[in-house]
Amino acid sequence: MAFWRSLFVRALTFCSFLLFLIHGGHCFYLPGVAPQDFQKGDPLQVKVNKLTSIKTQLPYSFYSLPYCRPGKIVDSAENLGEVLRGDRIENSVYVFKMREPQMCNVVCKLKLDAKTAKEFKEKIDDEYRVNMILDNLPLVVPIKRMDQDSTVYQLGFHVGLKGQYSGSKEEKYFIHNHLAFTVKYHRDSLTESARIVGFEVKPFSVRHEYEGKWDEKTRLITCDPHAKHTVVNSNTPQEVEENKEIIFTYDVEFQESDVKWASRWDTYLLMSDDQIHWFSIVNSLMIVLFLSGMVAMIMLRTLYRDISKYNELETQEEAQEETGWKLVHGDVFRPPNNSDLLCIYAGTGVQFFGMMLVTMLFAILGFLSPSNRGGLMTAMLLLWVFMGLFAGYASSRLYKMFKGSEWKKIALRTALVFPAIVSAIFFVLNALIWGQKSSGAVPFGTMFALIFLWFGISVPLVFVGSYVGFRKPAIENPVKTNKIPRQIPEQAWYMNPIFSILIGGILPFGAVFIELFFVLTSIWLNQFYYIFGFLFLVFIILIVTCAEITIVLCYFQLCSEDYLWWWRSYLTSGSSALYLFLYATFYFFTKLEITKLVSAILYFGYMLIASYAFFVVTGTIGFYACFWFTRLIYSSVKID
């Protein structure tokens, strides 16, 4: 009974930990950059970022369109994650002075030719948005919600829009050429310095007019601060056509705000749908409780009845029913077919698991908040590289248990197999992005940095881990393996490997699919994802679900005297990746408006990589859970 008491105490501790996590689900946030104080009249440099579209998923540099340019374009230093995301942060012609409003500032005049008009029309057709940054805050467009008395924020403003003049059916293209900026600041009453806490814009399309010849001092009739004539609507919009003149202008308004600098991201990250996340957690916990009940029953049956009473006389039928798994003790630890490949994938899964766990812990602590652009991707890449140590260790320990002797060969294959497959898909996708002249294409310098991280750091660390793991004593099996394999009896239809593997993947996927919707939305619909507290909870639930479903199905398999559990345990929980890819396909056709073939190939290419990674992680969790379970039950019985 001491065993059951300790099991109950562990379960209680785990539940308490889960409740603590749920309580802290809204996670706190550490700012990504140091605050900057501005005095009245200090210059504020607005930077421009990439043009983005949820219809094409292909980012472009701001100056790929013939917008007004400064004398010299200067690129900002970008981290690895920013480059991989396609961010191209550059200086702009928009320069403000702190707490000094400006009206009708003329930026430049542009005359469209056939080529530039076509470029603007294409971007308007694909619903591209212009992204800008001020003091590390992204530019947003405030939109009033009619159903609720609240405001939602859209990242960036549209290049333009399509519409018709009243009384005409011909569709025209109009450009947003007047920007009404609002800079919100929080003022320190003692020092009179201020910190920027908001950056908003209202874009307008205005056909500007002026008298006489155009020069630098020309005053506009349509936007004149002296005549108090400002732009408040787009009633006379600026058409995009060949030989048309476009005059770009902007206003700047400064608003004092009660929002403190440390809380300035809260409005961007306002979460109105937390009820759905709670529903997701409860739904997942119900699955976990159901599976935990199943596992508890199995443990009671196997450990308490089989092990404690295996010497008692029972009828032949009862013995067959109770101890079916015991009959295969001489074959259960027989090395599987393709054992080397299993070692490689188990090691890679450990590497991925470590990366995900540490990344989420950093994210919960706020180090990877949206203010730290590219931080999440950079952290994931670096952690993946350094977790190679654990990949090598895990694969070589398993390899030695299978009586393998060439540890260098297994180390090299562990370091190369998964990254090589992902790299091959990535290179094809990158070539497609290059062909579209998008800023999302990874430059050669960054490509070289990625290859260096792989071969210069990751591969040596895998070898170090393998060396350490192989030097340790081999894992001893609790029972001896017979020389001649036992014949496996004919199995019931529901124990068919393909059927049980596909059934096994449903519950782990069911535990995460609601949260998966929000993750996909943040990636493909250009929204912020920051609720890592919820995500971490779902990740823990995923681990428990994968482990439990694999143990349950492994037990049923052993009871029917089928001892080929090694690969099936990996594939049982790993099959949830198939459902993830099917859900991604469903999401593509129901939520996205992608029409271009290249964009569709990019979507499915990246989702294939994500599903492959999910397969490796969930498969490894299931495999190690089953490995622990079989060793536990066979070490607890005396074999005659």
Side-chain angles (χ1 to χ4, degrees):
M1 290 303 291
F3 171 79
W4 295 108
R5 198 177 295 113
S6 69
L7 196 68
F8 174 73
V9 169
R10 284 180 194 172
L12 201 64
T13 310
F14 177 69
C15 290
S16 307
F17 176 63
L18 268 185
L19 284 170
F20 165 74
L21 275 175
I22 289 171
H23 183 68
H26 283 278
C27 73
F28 60 93
Y29 150 67
L30 300 172
V33 290
Q36 194 171 352
D37 293 317
F38 296 97
Q39 300 294 335
K40 188 175 182 180
D42 281 356
L44 303 177
Q45 297 285 343
V46 176
K47 292 181 179 179
V48 290
N49 200 348
K50 61 189 174 186
L51 306 172
T52 54
S53 165
I54 58 173
K55 282 184 80 172
T56 68
Q57 301 295 336
L58 292 166
Y60 286 90
S61 147
F62 177 80
Y63 294 113
S64 64
L65 282 180
Y67 279 117
C68 310
R69 295 166 175 252
K72 185 186 178 186
I73 296 172
V74 181
D75 281 322
S76 296
E78 288 153 2
N79 61 40
L80 188 59
E82 283 178 307
V83 175
L84 292 174
R85 278 163 34 115
D87 285 350
R88 295 294 179 268
I89 301 169
E90 296 153 318
N91 60 329
S92 75
V93 289
Y94 299 99
V95 181
F96 311 152
K97 287 189 175 175
M98 189 64 178
R99 287 158 53 198
E100 291 184 7
Q102 300 172 32
M103 290 179 71
C104 303
N105 263 27
V106 176
V107 183
C108 72
K109 182 171 76 78
L110 177 71
K111 189 168 184 179
L112 298 180
D113 55 24
K115 182 171 174 277
T116 51
K118 183 171 176 280
E119 286 171 351
F120 274 121
K121 283 179 179 179
E122 283 174 353
K123 294 292 184 283
I124 292 169
D125 253 334
D126 289 331
E127 295 178 14
Y128 270 87
R129 294 174 184 273
V130 178
N131 294 286
M132 295 183 178
I133 299 165
L134 177 63
D135 191 36
N136 202 42
L137 271 181
L139 179 67
V140 290
V141 179
I143 298 167
K144 284 274 185 191
R145 289 175 72 162
M146 302 303 288
D147 54 333
Q148 302 168 12
D149 189 24
S150 62
T151 305
V152 292
Y153 294 95
Q154 278 188 342
L155 277 174
F157 63 91
H158 283 111
V159 171
L161 44 92
K162 290 191 287 186
Q164 299 158 344
Y165 289 115
S166 56
S168 167
K169 288 187 179 178
E170 190 184 353
E171 197 164 52
K172 298 283 187 183
Y173 292 83
F174 304 104
I175 189 170
H176 285 136
N177 60 326
H178 179 84
L179 304 176
F181 293 106
T182 302
V183 178
K184 294 183 176 179
Y185 64 91
H186 181 79
R187 186 165 59 176
D188 186 331
S189 55
L190 295 174
T191 61
E192 282 300 305
S193 64
R195 290 175 178 176
I196 293 168
V197 295
F199 186 34
E200 299 173 4
V201 71
K202 286 182 181 173
F204 298 100
S205 181
V206 183
R207 188 171 66 246
H208 284 304
E209 294 171 4
Y210 57 92
E211 290 177 346
K213 283 192 173 182
W214 178 264
D215 59 39
E216 288 181 10
K217 294 179 182 177
T218 303
R219 274 164 59 171
L220 301 173
I221 301 169
T222 43
C223 187
D224 188 354
H226 302 285
K228 295 193 176 174
H229 187 196
T230 57
V231 176
V232 289
N233 57 45
S234 300
N235 289 346
T236 53
Q238 175 61 59
E239 208 177 307
V240 178
E241 281 299 339
E242 189 181 349
N243 298 322
K244 292 268 185 186
E245 275 187 352
I246 300 177
I247 297 169
F248 289 92
T249 55
Y250 69 92
D251 301 335
V252 190
E253 179 192 356
F254 288 87
Q255 275 182 17
E256 192 164 354
S257 171
D258 294 329
V259 176
K260 289 193 167 69
W261 187 89
S263 311
R264 66 182 188 160
W265 277 86
D266 291 0
T267 49
Y268 291 76
L269 307 176
L270 184 68
M271 185 171 64
S272 57
D273 46 17
D274 56 344
Q275 291 298 320
I276 300 170
H277 293 277
W278 286 118
F279 172 73
S280 164
I281 299 294
V282 171
N283 161 60
S284 305
L285 281 173
M286 294 307 288
I287 293 172
V288 167
L289 287 171
F290 166 71
L291 282 173
S292 300
M294 294 275 286
V295 170
M297 282 173 64
I298 287 165
M299 298 296 258
L300 274 167
R301 184 172 169 174
T302 57
L303 295 177
Y304 190 68
R305 293 176 64 181
D306 284 356
I307 296 161
S308 302
K309 301 181 181 180
Y310 78 97
N311 275 334
E312 291 181 16
L313 291 172
E314 294 170 332
T315 65
Q316 191 61 37
E317 281 181 16
E318 281 178 331
Q320 186 72 19
E321 181 196 345
E322 296 286 348
T323 57
W325 58 272
K326 196 178 157 190
L327 298 175
V328 294
H329 66 83
D331 298 274
V332 77
F333 292 107
R334 188 179 302 284
N337 295 329
N338 300 314
S339 59
D340 286 11
L341 194 62
L342 183 64
C343 297
I344 291 161
Y345 272 98
T348 306
V350 168
Q351 184 176 9
F352 237 109
F353 180 80
M355 179 204 77
M356 288 174 73
L357 189 66
V358 178
T359 302
M360 283 194 200
L361 288 172
F362 275 129
I364 284 172
L365 294 171
F367 291 112
L368 304 176
S369 73
S371 67
N372 185 7
R373 251 185 319 278
L376 183 66
M377 196 170 282
T378 307
M380 286 173 75
L381 272 171
L382 293 177
L383 283 168
W384 161 264
V385 166
F386 290 112
M387 289 292 166
L389 194 70
F390 298 100
Y393 181 83
S395 63
S396 67
R397 290 284 282 151
L398 211 54
Y399 181 66
K400 192 170 184 180
M401 193 188 81
F402 291 145
K403 306 289 188 289
S405 57
E406 299 176 17
W407 69 270
K408 290 176 186 171
K409 184 180 81 173
I410 208 75
L412 185 66
R413 288 169 69 187
T414 303
L416 297 182
V417 169
F418 180 85
I421 293 169
V422 170
S423 298
I425 300 169
F426 180 73
F427 280 128
V428 171
L429 297 178
N430 201 50
L432 288 172
I433 301 171
W434 267 110
Q436 297 294 311
K437 299 189 174 79
S438 165
S439 68
V442 177
F444 286 113
T446 309
M447 201 74 82
F448 179 77
L450 291 174
I451 291 168
F452 171 75
L453 284 173
W454 180 11
F455 287 101
I457 302 174
S458 182
V459 173
L461 283 176
V462 172
F463 269 89
V464 170
S466 287
Y467 176 74
V468 173
F470 202 76
R471 287 197 62 178
K472 284 196 169 271
I475 300 167
E476 292 291 330
N477 291 324
V479 288
K480 286 184 180 176
T481 302
N482 295 338
K483 288 183 180 175
I484 300 167
R486 177 191 177 91
Q487 190 172 356
I488 299 168
E490 194 173 332
Q491 301 292 304
W493 64 269
Y494 52 83
M495 290 309 295
N496 177 284
I498 295 172
F499 180 76
S500 65
I501 284 167
L502 290 175
I503 289 295
I506 292 172
L507 287 178
F509 172 73
V512 300
F513 88 97
I514 297 176
E515 205 60 35
L516 184 66
F517 170 80
F518 293 99
V519 174
L520 288 177
T521 300
S522 73
I523 295 169
W524 299 108
L525 296 181
N526 203 25
Q527 295 178 13
F528 287 121
Y529 186 90
Y530 72 102
I531 34 177
F532 294 105
F534 279 123
L535 191 64
F536 187 63
L537 270 175
V538 171
F539 182 58
I540 289 173
I541 289 167
L542 175 69
I543 294 167
V544 176
T545 312
C546 286
E548 290 182 344
I549 190 68
T550 313
I551 288 171
V552 169
L553 292 177
C554 178
Y555 172 71
F556 290 149
Q557 182 186 348
L558 292 173
C559 281
S560 60
E561 297 174 42
D562 181 356
Y563 52 83
L564 303 175
W565 63 272
W566 297 94
W567 271 110
R568 199 188 292 193
S569 65
Y570 198 101
L571 297 171
T572 295
S573 51
S575 66
S576 54
L578 174 66
Y579 297 104
L580 182 130
F581 190 76
L582 290 173
Y583 180 74
T585 307
F586 167 78
Y587 185 87
F588 178 84
F589 288 109
T590 56
K591 297 291 177 188
L592 299 182
E593 298 173 12
I594 292 175
T595 50
K596 288 189 174 182
L597 178 63
V598 171
S599 304
I601 293 169
L602 285 176
Y603 175 84
F604 285 107
Y606 285 128
M607 289 315 300
L608 185 64
I609 291 173
S611 301
Y612 182 35
F614 194 71
F615 163 74
V616 170
V617 174
T618 51
T620 301
I621 294 166
F623 167 74
Y624 275 108
C626 204
F627 183 60
W628 167 81
F629 174 72
T630 48
R631 290 179 64 79
L632 179 73
I633 62 172
Y634 284 100
S635 63
S636 303
V637 293
K638 291 176 186 173
I639 306 297
D640 297 330

